[in-house]
Amino acid sequence: MDKLLLLGDEAIAQGAVDAGISGVFAYPGTPSTEITEYIQASKEAKERHIASQWSSNEKTAMETAIGMSYAGKRALVCMKHVGLNVAADAFINSAITGAHGGLVVVSADDPSMHSSQNEQDSRFYGKFAQIPVLEPSNQQEAYDMTRYAFDLSEKFGTPVLFRITTRLSHSRSGVKRGEMHPQNELSLPSDLKQFILLPSIARKQYDVLLGKQAAFQEESEKSGYNKLIPGKDKSMGIVACGIAYNYLMENYQGEEIPYPVLKIGQYPVSRRLVREFYDQVDSVLMLEEGYPVLEELFRGILDEGKPVKGRMDGTIPRSGELNPNIVGKALGKEIAEGYPVPSVLRGRPPLLCDGCPHWDSFGALNEAMKDYGPGRVLSDIGCYTLSALEPLNSINSCVDMGASITMAVGAAEAGLVPAVAVIGDSTFTHSGMTGLLDAVNRNVPVTVVLLDNSTTGMTGGQDSAGLGKLESIIKGIGVDEKHIRIIKPLRRLHDENVKVFKEELAYEGVSVIIPRRECVQTLARRMKLKHAKKKETKESVNN
Amino acid sequence: MKKDIILGGVGGQGILTIATVIGMAALSEGLQLKQSEVHGMSQRGGDVQSNLRISSDPIASDLIPEGKADMILAVEPLESLRYFNMLNRETGWLITSINPFKNIPDYPPLEEVLAEITKLPRYITIDADRIAQTQGSVKAANIVVLGAASPFIGLKYESLENAVRQLFGKKGEEIVNLNLQALKAGRDFAEENR
């Protein structure tokens, strides 16, 4: 079979389809989005009736996947690292219930924060849940490991965490496919109480999980994804996790690596391999992307063993993604220098698209807010977060998905007048709805600006869960109908829109203003498709 | 054979299309490939960059080491400066369009930008917008720049042509021809001005 040219994300997706999944459950988030998009576009996935519609948020995605696993079928659940925080309750408990059909959770970490608000390391979550974690070093491994992850999950009746980082998510290379695994038949767990985490059962299940730990370690050694590569120079040994292994190899093009290397792709790491490695070297260099997870373990709390170099002593920068140069410097290699970057260079931050409805929404909001002074607009996470930058300078917060309304409630209770929340339609159904209920129950004066561009714009235009349902949701939550205002964000309606904002800002209760106009990106895509279809029909008529 | 190419531009200028064409051509010649892309937020009018590595031997890293790039291929002149530190001093070529994409208030004077580029020992600056326009559409400016880079990529010109045919095939004969002409016009310019 020919090799497919796939992004790391796509390799995971193809691996999951070939592993016989019956569903993928996800909320879009960079750098994980392409996994689900690939399955949605896959012909094979369609033929196999693989469920692939976006979930409202990561927690509902995780729980749906647990349900599919309960019913005996293989399920994939995907999110970005901060999404795992949202899903954490269900995720941690899934380790206690265990899995029936294979259950694999992909969390895509974003070191260097290319498009995230932090750079947390999902491997900690794997350790926290006490389940196996897999971390591929390249696209082929991403494919192979995904298949292995499902087998591992079913072999031990445990969910498996699959950790990937930005660079591998969004880098393409050739991938060789294996045979397709048939989908599982519907079946129920043999222990029908396993998924009931009442304390008495949970205690039993927790013991079962603890009892599996030794087997997880043993498996780590046998799988081949962890291996000890011998080296002659024992003055140093190198531990390379996931993609760090590539950067290590890049520094020894065509040469043998002189030092022993412990290549890590699976956690918990085998103690036997670590012992064998540690005993033969005088010092250790740790290469891992994200937090110093293994480095801390190698050092121990007193750090009195052999010298360990890594992120904690500054050999590797404490934050940010790795690259061949950082690794080369840590190895003491001479680094080639390019030309100095000319000082005439300027930064070019991202900005809202030309014609984006948010320009007009914020234009009107800014004007209405003029009477009150700055610092009163609590925002959320989406394209509209870019309104924090020049030239709009409209918003004052971006903490986590759904935090805008709740923060505005807190600020209002502190006495901030007016307290404005800005949230997108997709973020609202992700985790803003419950905050709106708090606002209604507390009856605090907040003005919620629900920017409805009818899509999940920031990640490239995925379906938004609340499409066509927003007013009924808001009404159902209890917002007074008179204070649900729908406006069309257009320059020619500017004055009218400013008036609506001003009226609701003056209202001493909960009001929701919905500026509604489709995202220019999805609109352009839709028009293009429509045009192509029209052309097709015309041609077939002419023929 | 091994070529490490940094592609630079602004979101929406079509650098991923260039990467796809080179990638397809490299695969048709039986070469290995790694190509890292930019997804998500930064595509919205921000600077975007792709590392494209093609080689007859296995490629380890998805990222090109500093000072080792054989080429910076930019569809916007200011963006070409951003990757100067990546360029190989002994062998590296810089190929860039001279047409600025001005979506920032402090875009420096074009002469100053070009002055930095022309200090390099190996470069090609091309008015890709104008050349693309004469071929029928300014939209093909990215393919003009690719054409200008084509003598230095180490792939057969026919492989690039075939890749253009393959990639634009779905859009019809007219679009295919427009892009083939754009590719050729860029290449001719480079051959005359190298």
Side-chain angles (χ1 to χ4, degrees):
Chain A
M1 203 184 273
D2 270 355
K3 278 189 177 180
L4 298 173
L5 193 55
L6 299 177
L7 293 176
D9 274 354
E10 295 170 342
I12 293 170
Q14 187 65 58
V17 170
D18 291 349
I21 56 165
S22 294
V24 57
F25 305 99
Y27 182 80
T30 313
S32 72
T33 314
E34 293 74 19
I35 305 171
T36 304
E37 285 187 330
Y38 183 90
I39 295 172
Q40 287 177 335
S42 156
K43 224 180 103 201
E44 287 159 342
K46 199 160 281 164
E47 282 163 11
R48 293 185 149 210
H49 303 288
I50 294 174
S52 64
Q53 199 184 326
W54 294 105
S55 304
S56 292
N57 66 35
E58 293 85 354
K59 181 168 181 279
T60 66
M62 181 73 223
E63 290 157 352
T64 316
I66 295 173
M68 184 170 268
S69 168
Y70 171 87
K73 301 204 177 191
R74 290 185 164 189
L76 178 71
V77 45
C78 315
M79 58 201 73
K80 68 182 295 179
H81 60 314
V82 288
L84 190 50
N85 298 336
V86 178
D89 197 0
F91 170 72
I92 301 296
N93 288 328
S94 75
I96 318 288
T97 63
H100 177 38
L103 178 57
V104 175
V105 184
V106 179
S107 180
D109 291 355
D110 188 19
S112 283
M113 301 180 235
H114 294 282
S115 45
S116 306
Q117 64 271 44
N118 72 36
E119 59 172 44
Q120 71 191 47
D121 192 318
S122 294
R123 293 177 298 166
F124 264 124
Y125 263 119
K127 191 171 159 49
F128 191 34
Q130 305 181 77
I131 59 172
V133 178
L134 295 171
E135 187 185 16
S137 70
N138 61 40
Q139 293 79 354
Q140 185 67 53
E141 266 188 9
Y143 175 84
D144 295 336
M145 269 186 174
T146 305
R147 299 173 57 109
Y148 166 69
F150 281 101
D151 293 343
L152 187 66
S153 173
E154 283 178 5
K155 178 175 175 187
F156 290 105
T158 178
V160 170
L161 179 65
F162 200 94
R163 188 238 191 179
I164 186 165
T165 53
T166 306
R167 198 53 58 182
L168 188 52
S169 287
H170 289 164
S171 174
R172 226 172 261 289
S173 192
V175 172
K176 195 164 162 279
R177 273 178 77 178
E179 271 176 28
M180 274 181 108
H181 188 286
Q183 288 169 296
N184 290 357
E185 296 293 330
L186 190 69
S187 72
L188 291 176
S190 55
D191 173 8
L192 280 177
K193 294 211 161 64
Q194 173 188 345
F195 283 80
I196 311 170
L197 296 187
L198 275 166
S200 61
I201 303 170
R203 280 192 284 269
K204 199 177 118 235
Q205 283 294 111
Y206 186 51
D207 284 341
V208 171
L209 174 64
L210 294 177
K212 289 174 185 168
Q213 297 304 312
F216 291 166
Q217 286 201 9
E218 201 180 316
E219 186 70 20
S220 240
E221 191 176 301
K222 284 195 310 204
S223 74
Y225 287 121
N226 292 337
K227 60 181 176 202
L228 181 51
I229 305 158
K232 292 188 191 93
D233 185 347
K234 317 277 190 198
S235 64
M236 182 170 78
I238 303 167
V239 180
C241 305
I243 198 169
Y245 182 71
N246 293 351
Y247 300 138
L248 172 65
M249 297 302 285
E250 183 69 27
N251 279 283
Y252 292 98
Q253 287 290 311
E255 320 161 38
E256 210 170 290
I257 301 179
Y259 311 106
V261 175
L262 184 58
K263 178 181 189 284
I264 304 286
Q266 184 169 346
Y267 311 78
V269 174
S270 135
R271 284 210 175 90
R272 192 186 63 73
L273 272 183
V274 171
R275 169 58 65 196
E276 201 183 321
F277 166 81
Y278 192 77
D279 282 350
Q280 60 175 290
V281 299
D282 300 334
S283 68
V284 178
L285 172 64
M286 296 293 316
L287 302 175
E288 53 188 331
E289 196 150 85
Y291 291 175
V293 172
L294 270 188
E295 186 176 339
E296 275 191 348
L297 291 175
F298 263 73
R299 286 177 188 273
I301 193 159
L302 296 177
D303 196 7
E304 286 172 346
K306 294 174 180 175
V308 176
K309 291 184 283 181
R311 288 199 191 266
M312 294 171 77
D313 73 336
T315 305
I316 306 277
R318 182 59 184 79
S319 69
E321 70 172 325
L322 298 176
N323 63 37
N325 287 75
I326 289 171
V327 172
K329 274 178 207 157
L331 291 165
K333 291 222 157 202
E334 211 171 295
I335 301 300
E337 269 187 43
Y339 295 92
V341 173
S343 58
V344 63
L345 180 65
R346 296 287 178 270
R348 195 190 303 258
L351 77 177
L352 294 170
C353 304
D354 270 347
C356 169
H358 299 334
W359 285 112
D360 298 300
S361 302
F362 284 106
L365 176 65
N366 276 0
E367 187 167 335
M369 289 300 293
K370 257 191 211 152
D371 304 342
Y372 299 99
R376 289 164 163 78
V377 182
L378 288 314
S379 176
D380 225 293
I381 299 180
C383 288
Y384 48 93
T385 313
L386 291 172
S387 71
L389 310 173
E390 292 281 348
L392 285 165
N393 294 316
S394 302
I395 60 163
N396 307 103
S397 77
C398 163
V399 177
D400 65 61
M401 294 280 285
S404 58
I405 302 177
T406 29
M407 280 179 73
V409 168
E413 293 208 319
L416 189 72
V417 181
V420 180
V422 176
I423 189 165
D425 54 317
S426 181
T427 313
F428 178 68
T429 48
H430 175 284
S431 50
M433 299 189 289
T434 46
L436 187 61
L437 185 57
D438 282 352
V440 168
N441 287 341
R442 286 163 192 250
N443 194 29
V444 285
V446 293
T447 307
V448 176
V449 182
L450 208 175
L451 299 165
D452 181 10
N453 62 0
S454 310
T455 191
T456 315
M458 193 186 201
T459 43
Q462 292 76 23
D463 291 340
S464 178
L467 188 67
K469 307 184 191 88
L470 291 179
E471 288 96 309
S472 55
I473 292 171
I474 296 161
K475 252 186 255 174
I477 285 173
V479 177
D480 181 352
E481 223 168 307
K482 288 198 292 285
H483 295 281
I484 303 172
R485 311 283 298 268
I486 295 154
I487 62 174
K488 188 148 193 180
L490 282 173
R491 177 157 303 167
R492 67 178 164 81
L493 301 176
H494 177 79
D495 294 345
E496 245 172 80
N497 292 343
V498 171
K499 194 168 156 266
V500 173
F501 275 117
K502 279 189 172 168
E503 283 167 13
E504 295 308 328
L505 287 171
Y507 171 62
E508 288 184 14
V510 179
S511 57
V512 179
I513 302 169
I514 309 178
R516 175 172 292 149
R517 178 152 73 80
E518 188 180 353
C519 164
V520 284
Q521 298 286 349
T522 58
L523 180 71
R525 211 179 306 157
R526 222 156 41 79
M527 288 301 134
K528 219 170 158 182
L529 262 172
K530 206 171 148 189
H531 184 73
K533 248 196 192 136
K534 225 173 168 180
K535 207 173 151 192
E536 221 169 76
T537 353
K538 220 169 156 187
E539 273 166 12
S540 67
V541 168
N542 288 347
N543 292 340
Chain B
M1 188 280 176
K2 179 170 162 298
K3 286 284 169 194
D4 286 337
I5 304 170
I6 303 278
L7 299 166
V10 179
Q13 281 196 302
I15 71 163
L16 290 185
T17 305
I18 297 180
T20 307
V21 172
I22 300 177
M24 282 172 147
L27 287 184
S28 75
E29 294 190 18
L31 298 169
Q32 313 232 16
L33 169 80
K34 276 203 176 176
Q35 183 222 329
S36 82
E37 309 180 347
V38 178
H39 288 232
M41 172 106 286
S42 41
Q43 281 178 323
R44 310 211 186 289
D47 58 276
V48 295
Q49 182 237 108
S50 170
N51 281 224
L52 177 59
R53 315 191 72 187
I54 51 182
S55 173
S56 40
D57 295 318
I59 303 160
S61 163
D62 302 77
L63 289 172
I64 300 166
E66 257 173 65
K68 294 277 184 73
D70 300 294
M71 182 187 291
I72 295 171
L73 197 169
V75 287
E76 204 281 344
L78 186 66
E79 290 310 316
S80 75
L81 306 188
R82 203 175 298 284
Y83 311 107
F84 265 36
N85 64 322
M86 300 301 294
L87 197 60
N88 188 317
R89 280 173 175 266
E90 273 76 52
T91 57
W93 276 87
L94 187 146
I95 321 288
T96 184
S97 156
I98 59 164
N99 310 111
F101 191 103
K102 291 188 184 173
N103 64 349
I104 46 172
D106 55 347
Y107 196 103
L110 186 59
E111 317 82 75
E112 285 181 31
V113 175
L114 295 178
E116 296 293 342
I117 294 166
T118 51
K119 278 184 207 160
L120 296 177
R122 289 165 296 275
Y123 66 88
I124 295 208
T125 49
I126 181 166
D127 188 345
D129 282 3
R130 191 185 54 77
I131 293 177
Q133 196 76 65
T134 59
Q135 301 305 321
S137 169
V138 74
K139 275 192 188 165
N142 59 337
I143 301 297
V144 172
V145 182
L146 171 61
S150 65
F152 317 103
I153 296 179
L155 296 173
K156 293 195 200 96
Y157 185 64
E158 303 85 77
S159 308
L160 292 169
E161 282 185 318
N162 286 334
V164 166
R165 278 193 199 99
Q166 209 180 321
L167 185 64
F168 292 101
K170 262 193 266 167
K171 296 186 174 176
E173 192 68 9
E174 206 180 316
I175 303 286
V176 169
N177 286 334
L178 168 73
N179 282 289
L180 284 175
Q181 284 163 22
L183 188 73
K184 181 75 171 43
R187 185 176 179 96
D188 289 347
F189 180 88
E191 294 290 12
E192 284 158 29
N193 294 282
R194 60 192 291 175

